[in-house]
Amino acid sequence: MFFNVGVQHGEHYLLVVGTGAATVSDLCGGASLGAVTARLSGCRRVLIDLLGVEQDLSFTEHLQLGAHLAEVAAGLERVATVVPAQQKVGVSERAAQLQGLQIKTFTSLADAQAWLTQP
């Protein structure tokens, strides 16, 4: 199965949507694409929708993903990720937060959108 990443420019944030089976390297690549696209387009907020992603990351891989996201998204105002409830672990989110990234993980797309559009 392919891992696919799509990008849509919105009024308040850049939307990055991943679908398919993903490894930690796939997810890091998707994060890099979103961060670079946001930066080059002048967007300061990013929503990463992973509801359609199948993954089984280890604890160490979650740490690696969080560290990578913090590095590539440095300078962004806010990053929201949305994952299926059964995949919400919090390790990637916390690792990125500890490195200074303003990031929150949600299980609801509507909640993530609401957080991103707050002043």
Side-chain angles (χ1 to χ4, degrees):
M1 178 185 284
F2 284 98
F3 175 64
N4 297 292
V5 179
V7 176
Q8 180 180 1
H9 298 267
E11 181 180 345
H12 300 287
Y13 55 84
L14 179 77
L15 174 62
V16 179
V17 180
T19 57
T23 64
V24 68
S25 59
D26 297 328
L27 295 170
C28 286
S32 294
L33 173 67
V36 169
T37 303
R39 191 171 297 111
L40 292 175
S41 66
C43 190
R44 307 271 300 141
R45 298 180 182 203
V46 177
L47 172 56
I48 303 172
D49 177 353
L50 301 175
L51 290 171
V53 172
E54 301 166 25
Q55 58 84 11
D56 186 25
L57 302 184
S58 68
F59 179 82
T60 304
E61 289 171 326
H62 276 286
L63 288 175
Q64 182 182 1
L65 177 58
H68 179 77
L69 188 54
E71 179 182 338
V72 298
L76 293 178
E77 189 176 298
R78 286 187 185 180
V79 176
T81 59
V82 185
V83 300
Q86 67 274 19
Q87 292 181 4
K88 187 172 188 233
V89 178
V91 175
S92 301
E93 174 186 30
R94 189 70 183 132
Q97 289 170 340
L98 288 172
Q99 293 187 37
L101 185 62
Q102 181 72 11
I103 185 171
K104 283 185 85 170
T105 301
F106 299 87
T107 57
S108 159
L109 195 55
D111 290 346
Q113 292 168 325
W115 181 71
L116 280 177
T117 56
Q118 291 176 351

